[in-house]
Amino acid sequence: MNNTQRIRQPLPVRRPTAFSQKPDRSSVVRVGLATVLLYLILVPQQFNITLGSFYLSPYRIFLLGATIYLLTSALSKSLRFVWPDLFLILSIIWITLASYMTSGQLTTAMVQGGSHLVDIGLAYFLARATIQTPTDLRRFLILAAPGVAFTGVMVFAEAVSHQYIVQSLASAVTGNPGPARADVRLGFMRGMASFPHPILAGIFLASFVPIYMLSGLRGLPRFIGWAGSMFAAFTMSSAALLGLVVGLAMYAYDWLTERFYNLTWRLFLSFAGLAYVVIEFSSNTGFYGLLVRYASLNSVSAYNRVLIWKYGSQNVAENPWFGIGYADWDRPDWMHSDSFDWFWLIVALRFGIPATVFILAAAIMAIGMIAWKSRQMAPADSRLLRGVAISLGVFSLGLNSVSLWLTTLAWFFMLVGIAVSLGTYAPQQARPAGRRVMVWKPHPAGGAPTGQGPPVRA
């Protein structure tokens, strides 16, 4: 086999023609709504208000108002209903039911179910309705770049100055209190900008790295978006650093798959799955225990996460269907902290295993849908879709050591919605981005092969 059969030629970078055209009015409205939601997610918590039992933040108020747009989109049939939509709806219904079963109060169930309806359901479906094409996503990334860059720079400034800047200014304006204490690691204060916790700021920023790197954008928007997201490292969060390392590593592997025929994502996933099984059954602590032991910046928090899994899973096993609500979970007396840094487990703890299964199924299906769709797209769009798949996959993996709430919860489900929307994208002219392999083409006259034929897709 000659070298042309072993080495895949780099796929040419082609800008989609629609991106160079003047956007239509509907596209401007769609992308504008998604951009407004993202910037409202970046508003500090000091601007949140409470009305009775309802905790209203600016992005929640916006999402409630956006239901009119969502209903219009549903009636116009611009959205095609798919399985992840059903699983997300079932998760909200189950959370509401579980809240009633654990509290016994309809008001409590409506408040808790309503908050998750906004943070999960409305954030997801607004992303589904607004980011409908790769071009929409690129325009969204251009508009989002200043916000991502500002957040990253503020995280860096807070880390080196040892002072909270964003939320201190917000407190001075609103009179609401700012962060209570500073946490220092390796000589840097854990910056968090407008987020309620450094780990939330870190995983939010890290999720943008593979998307901007594979976006196909050029010039300043791509640079400031990517550079800003890299400042996630200064949250000094193990989950954020792991997200950056894994995201960059998967970007590098994706670059190699376009150049070497034998390197494929199927091969990567096969070896990753095999490695997981081997580690899980050969290690005393399992894959997760090994990960938190060697990939954590703080040995105390790493050990605490192992304990959370041990005793938290026992609580889930005792209350598998509806969980325990927001009641305190059973654990040894010497575990004073009620922190529960494990999103997938805490959802099962509060609302039962079915709630976690529904949400996890939607996320996994979203990754699979957009990854499969990327195989059918032109090279530039294919890379963009793989960037979203990588981002969502790394984000979902990071939730094994993160508990999401409020703003970052809404962004995660925006990302799931974007993945599902692009995974169902049906362009009029979609060209497969298959591998380029040199093959012998028979001579038109039926003679011996000439080897002069053009590359064909295999």
Side-chain angles (χ1 to χ4, degrees):
M1 183 180 293
N2 57 38
N3 291 335
T4 56
Q5 289 175 300
R6 292 183 177 275
I7 301 178
R8 188 184 312 166
Q9 296 296 325
L11 296 176
V13 178
R14 295 190 182 95
R15 284 182 174 274
T17 56
F19 191 61
S20 61
Q21 297 173 355
K22 183 178 181 180
D24 60 89
R25 183 177 179 182
S26 63
S27 176
V28 172
V29 172
R30 292 198 312 269
V31 176
L33 288 172
T35 305
V36 170
L37 176 57
L38 179 72
Y39 277 92
L40 289 177
I41 283 175
L42 297 178
V43 173
Q45 60 183 339
Q46 284 74 22
F47 289 92
N48 298 345
I49 60 176
T50 302
L51 294 178
S53 301
F54 294 94
Y55 190 67
L56 295 176
S57 55
Y59 80 89
R60 281 183 170 178
I61 296 172
F62 175 77
L63 282 172
L64 289 171
T67 53
I68 299 174
Y69 177 80
L70 293 177
L71 290 174
T72 303
S73 299
L75 293 175
S76 65
K77 299 182 180 180
S78 61
L79 294 179
R80 182 163 63 90
F81 195 79
V82 291
W83 281 105
D85 301 341
L86 175 62
F87 283 121
L88 260 298
I89 293 172
L90 287 176
S91 71
I92 296 167
I93 293 174
W94 193 270
I95 287 172
T96 305
L97 175 62
S99 299
Y100 176 75
M101 296 298 294
T102 55
S103 68
Q105 298 180 357
L106 184 60
T107 303
T108 300
M110 296 304 294
V111 170
Q112 293 180 6
S115 64
H116 286 85
L117 170 64
V118 176
D119 294 347
I120 296 177
L122 295 185
Y124 168 82
F125 279 106
L126 186 69
R128 285 270 284 116
T130 54
I131 307 299
Q132 297 184 4
T133 69
T135 300
D136 288 341
L137 180 55
R138 288 189 177 92
R139 292 189 175 117
F140 171 76
L141 291 173
I142 290 172
L143 295 173
V148 174
F150 176 80
T151 301
V153 169
M154 287 297 100
V155 165
F156 172 74
E158 292 177 353
V160 297
S161 68
H162 287 224
Q163 299 206 4
Y164 292 118
I165 300 172
V166 177
Q167 296 193 49
S168 296
L169 292 174
S171 295
V173 173
T174 64
N176 293 324
R181 66 182 181 87
D183 188 2
V184 178
R185 289 182 180 177
L186 302 178
F188 293 99
M189 190 185 78
R190 303 183 67 190
M192 59 183 178
S194 61
F195 289 84
H197 195 280
I199 199 170
L200 298 181
I203 200 167
F204 169 84
L205 289 172
S207 68
F208 282 96
V209 171
I211 304 179
Y212 273 109
M213 295 187 75
L214 290 166
S215 64
L217 297 175
R218 298 176 182 175
L220 193 60
R222 180 180 185 272
F223 173 75
I224 66 172
W226 171 80
S229 57
M230 289 295 293
F231 282 121
F234 288 93
T235 62
M236 308 308 295
S237 164
S238 302
L241 290 173
L242 186 64
L244 289 175
V245 171
V246 175
L248 290 171
M250 296 183 77
Y251 165 76
Y253 184 83
D254 183 77
W255 183 85
L256 292 174
T257 62
E258 293 189 352
R259 287 155 177 83
F260 294 94
Y261 176 79
N262 292 326
L263 291 179
T264 65
W265 279 106
R266 181 178 298 178
L267 179 69
F268 173 85
L269 294 174
S270 298
F271 274 99
L274 179 62
Y276 173 82
V277 172
V278 171
I279 294 173
E280 185 67 29
F281 288 98
S282 62
S283 172
N284 293 331
T285 59
F287 178 82
Y288 180 73
L290 198 67
L291 182 66
V292 298
R293 183 189 305 171
Y294 293 103
S296 179
L297 292 176
N298 188 300
S299 59
V300 175
S301 64
Y303 180 63
N304 188 56
R305 285 185 172 92
V306 175
L307 295 175
I308 288 172
W309 167 252
K310 178 181 179 180
Y311 296 107
S313 58
Q314 291 178 5
N315 281 252
V316 172
E318 294 169 359
N319 305 273
W321 290 105
F322 302 110
I324 63 173
Y326 284 86
D328 197 14
W329 54 291
D330 293 332
R331 59 191 184 278
D333 294 336
W334 46 266
M335 285 185 66
H336 302 293
S337 174
D338 61 352
S339 175
F340 206 104
D341 298 326
W342 194 316
F343 175 74
W344 302 117
L345 189 60
I346 197 173
V347 172
L349 176 69
R350 288 176 176 171
F351 309 113
I353 295 175
T356 295
V357 170
F358 292 143
I359 295 174
L360 187 58
I364 293 174
M365 291 183 70
I367 297 170
M369 289 169 64
I370 195 170
W372 181 259
K373 178 62 66 173
S374 71
R375 296 165 58 91
Q376 308 168 23
M377 305 295 292
D381 290 341
S382 178
R383 294 187 186 100
L384 174 63
L385 267 60
R386 290 198 301 272
V388 176
I390 292 172
S391 174
L392 183 55
V394 174
F395 203 151
S396 300
L397 177 65
L399 296 188
N400 286 330
S401 61
V402 178
S403 180
L404 298 183
W405 66 93
L406 291 175
T407 53
T408 316
L409 182 66
W411 167 243
F412 174 72
F413 284 99
M414 276 189 72
L415 194 56
V416 176
I418 290 171
V420 173
S421 184
L422 296 182
T424 58
Y425 173 58
Q428 294 180 351
Q429 296 180 346
R431 294 179 296 171
R435 305 186 189 110
R436 295 188 166 193
V437 183
M438 297 294 294
V439 299
W440 291 110
K441 183 179 179 180
H443 192 275
T450 63
Q452 300 302 315
V456 298
R457 294 186 183 274

